[in-house]
Amino acid sequence: MKVCDRCGRRIDVKPRPADFFKDFVEEAVARMVLGEVDLCRECMEEFHKLFRARVSELREELQRWLEHPMDGGEKRG
């Protein structure tokens, strides 16, 4: 029997990241982040929301970084 590492509920069927992440790359990253952590379905849903929000933040940060090179040089390309 598995138990959710977050809330302590019993896990009858462990949800797979593939059930939540439709993008292959995001699923792979989520698997790396989760590692051996066991989450119930409800906690996996919460993790998915947090993960998606963080991905959006990273994309915005990447866009700002690309628009404002720190080396003082002109944009390439």
Side-chain angles (χ1 to χ4, degrees):
M1 173 180 86
K2 292 196 180 254
V3 175
C4 178
D5 290 329
R6 182 167 186 265
C7 70
R9 281 183 258 183
R10 191 174 120 187
I11 302 173
D12 294 320
V13 177
K14 184 177 175 180
R16 301 172 315 135
D19 296 338
F20 296 87
F21 298 92
K22 302 307 175 197
D23 179 87
F24 174 75
V25 174
E26 287 183 5
E27 178 192 345
V29 173
R31 285 182 185 277
M32 288 187 322
V33 170
L34 287 169
E36 297 297 317
V37 172
D38 293 321
L39 296 176
C40 66
R41 185 161 212 63
E42 291 82 8
C43 289
M44 180 65 86
E45 287 174 4
E46 287 184 43
F47 171 75
H48 178 253
K49 290 176 188 173
L50 291 171
F51 183 88
R52 294 292 304 144
R54 190 61 57 97
V55 167
S56 292
E57 289 174 14
L58 285 170
R59 286 182 178 145
E60 290 172 11
E61 187 174 332
L62 173 63
Q63 190 59 40
R64 284 192 301 273
W65 180 75
L66 290 171
E67 291 172 356
H68 305 285
M70 295 179 68
D71 63 358
E74 294 183 24
K75 285 187 178 179
R76 296 182 181 122

